[in-house]
Amino acid sequence: MKRKRGGEEEGMDIVWQTPANPPHPHDYVFRNGIRFVRPYYFEFIAHVKNRWAGKTIVDLFAEEFKGRPYDYYVSAVKCGRIQVDGEIVSVSYVVKPSQKISHFLHRHEPPVMACDVVILQKEPDVLTICKPASVPVHPCGQYRKNTVVGILQAEHGLAPLFPIHRLDRLVSGLLILARNAAKADIFRQQIEAGLVHKQYIAKVVGEFPENELIVDANIDYNAREGRSTAEVRDSPKGKAASTKFTRISTNGTQSIVLCEPITGRTHQIRVHLQYSGHPIANDMLYLSEQTVDRSVKGWSADRSARISNVSLTSDLDEVLNACEENSNEDFSIDPMCTNCPNLAPKGYDGDEDALWLHCIRYTGPGWTYECPYPDWAKLV
């Protein structure tokens, strides 16, 4: 879809994308083991909330979307890259509740590891894949094309897909996707009825107890901090949570542990392992000062993890600098874009892109799906 926004510089041929535009293999740029997305023009749509009403269009963006400077929003309104109800307005325009706001911008997505999204099983109604760490499952936040769903559509023509369970961006392993809404609903009902058994493996700090360990501790998630805490079972804080752990192997310094969550809370396995005194050995979000010396001090989860022998953060600064120097080879520079000439968006630090936590198996009524173990599961 080609549209020239009012006030755009003469000669600029801009193709605006919406969520209806599918990802394409040409959208990706691969460099030094990293998958970048070639920046593209995208229409973000929002509707005016009650608390936004009464603000000028520029003040609204400057106060609510602080990723860009005030002067950018002034210019964007003047040239029509920010519109209200499909119309160009003045910088002093005061917004009203429920009005449609469109922001047409040059979108840069964060990079991810350039690992293949390996298809494990392909059935008429179900697709299972081995999700690489660092890649989100579906569009969220800054990610749209650099997602499992986006990559499968671009590289394999697989759409629509309905993920039937969550895997955090930092987690790798088995991901089950229904290929139609009816099958997705069947999976949903089985999960809600407690009929699905989930198994993960983790590499943790220290010598994990030989006997089976069940952790019953409430999970209290703090959305502002992006992390959870474990509370005693009878605490008024958090939601009830239970996880069963079984040691698979140990070398005395680290252990490989089978993790079987009975409930499904945010960061449940990570928090319950921390609660047990054996946090995931490269999980800098939940490693305490006492345990960090026994694990990978100085390395974040992302710096220490390697999937298919590729590390996203290896020489990251060098790679990003090279991308900046050669960016004109891969995409056109937008004169108004606050991220150009970089491929990656500003503020991306590359420090949180893998975790030693891997989904290996899901079992339900009459079905089982599995994923191979990762290389880090071998202790030396």
Side-chain angles (χ1 to χ4, degrees):
M1 176 176 60
K2 293 187 178 182
R3 292 187 288 176
K4 180 177 284 188
R5 303 261 52 87
E8 291 288 357
E9 295 182 20
E10 290 299 323
M12 288 188 68
D13 188 20
I14 294 178
V15 178
W16 301 103
Q17 296 189 24
T18 71
N21 294 97
H24 187 275
H26 179 70
D27 294 336
Y28 300 99
V29 177
F30 297 90
R31 288 176 173 164
N32 292 37
I34 301 176
R35 179 194 292 265
F36 293 88
V37 172
R38 188 173 278 105
Y40 54 96
Y41 290 97
F42 190 77
E43 179 184 2
F44 280 97
I45 298 173
H47 289 85
V48 177
K49 301 176 182 179
N50 287 334
R51 64 182 177 86
W52 295 356
K55 296 181 179 180
T56 67
I57 186 68
V58 173
D59 286 344
L60 164 59
F61 272 86
E63 293 172 13
E64 298 291 336
F65 306 99
K66 299 181 180 179
R68 290 173 171 81
Y70 188 90
D71 289 346
Y72 165 82
Y73 291 122
V74 171
S75 299
V77 172
K78 286 181 177 179
C79 77
R81 289 201 181 187
I82 292 177
Q83 298 187 5
V84 179
D85 289 333
E87 301 293 335
I88 298 175
V89 298
S90 69
V91 294
S92 60
Y93 182 87
V94 176
V95 301
K96 304 176 184 65
S98 301
Q99 284 185 306
K100 173 188 170 183
I101 298 178
S102 296
H103 185 193
F104 302 89
L105 52 72
H106 199 225
R107 186 172 188 178
H108 293 239
E109 294 193 25
V112 298
M113 291 181 182
C115 305
D116 290 335
V117 177
V118 178
I119 295 175
L120 301 172
Q121 288 184 252
K122 189 176 181 181
E123 302 172 358
D125 293 331
V126 180
L127 183 76
T128 68
I129 61 104
C130 184
K131 173 192 168 308
S134 87
V135 184
V137 172
H138 51 71
C140 57
Q142 296 185 76
Y143 299 89
R144 177 171 166 258
K145 299 183 181 183
N146 249 353
T147 61
V148 169
V149 171
I151 293 168
L152 286 171
Q153 185 172 10
E155 298 183 351
H156 299 278
L158 292 167
L161 294 172
F162 304 83
I164 66 105
H165 63 100
R166 283 191 316 153
L167 278 186
D168 288 345
R169 186 173 64 84
L170 305 187
V171 178
S172 59
L174 176 68
L175 180 67
I176 306 171
L177 304 107
R179 301 185 68 182
N180 55 66
K183 188 65 175 181
D185 192 54
I186 292 173
F187 278 124
R188 178 189 60 79
Q189 293 177 32
Q190 292 177 353
I191 292 172
E192 290 180 352
L195 301 176
V196 177
H197 183 214
K198 302 163 280 187
Q199 293 180 303
Y200 295 72
I201 58 168
K203 181 188 283 189
V204 305
V205 172
E207 186 172 343
F208 201 83
E210 185 175 0
N211 296 328
E212 177 183 289
L213 174 66
I214 296 180
V215 174
D216 288 309
N218 289 6
I219 298 293
D220 185 22
Y221 179 65
N222 186 318
R224 183 180 296 273
E225 295 181 0
R227 59 176 290 155
S228 296
T229 55
E231 308 288 342
V232 293
R233 193 57 185 262
D234 58 355
S235 170
K237 292 184 178 180
K239 297 179 179 180
S242 182
T243 313
K244 182 171 74 173
F245 299 105
T246 307
R247 190 177 82 186
I248 297 174
S249 62
T250 185
N251 60 10
T253 302
Q254 296 176 330
S255 302
I256 302 299
V257 177
L258 177 66
C259 314
E260 299 173 274
I262 299 167
T263 52
R265 310 301 183 197
T266 303
H267 295 181
Q268 176 174 316
I269 294 174
R270 298 166 69 180
V271 175
H272 277 179
L273 283 169
Q274 180 200 44
Y275 187 80
S276 75
H278 299 274
I280 295 173
N282 68 345
D283 189 352
M284 298 308 291
L285 186 61
Y286 293 108
L287 278 169
S288 67
E289 293 180 1
Q290 290 73 30
T291 57
V292 73
D293 285 326
R294 294 187 285 146
S295 58
V296 286
K297 189 171 184 179
W299 288 1
S300 69
D302 314 319
R303 294 188 186 279
S304 55
R306 290 183 178 272
I307 307 296
S308 300
N309 299 318
V310 176
S311 174
L312 176 59
T313 53
S314 175
D315 301 320
L316 182 67
D317 292 338
E318 180 179 340
V319 173
L320 293 181
N321 288 338
C323 290
E324 180 173 353
E325 293 171 4
N326 301 307
S327 58
N328 283 329
E329 299 174 5
D330 297 300
F331 70 98
S332 299
I333 304 300
D334 183 283
M336 283 190 63
C337 180
T338 56
N339 289 309
C340 284
N342 297 326
L343 270 171
K346 289 182 179 177
Y348 176 76
D349 58 16
D351 269 350
E352 47 183 36
D353 294 277
L355 192 67
W356 284 336
L357 179 62
H358 183 88
C359 182
I360 60 167
R361 187 177 297 109
Y362 261 60
T363 303
W367 57 267
T368 297
Y369 295 109
E370 297 181 327
C371 184
Y373 281 30
D375 290 341
W376 54 254
K378 302 171 184 175
L379 292 176
V380 294

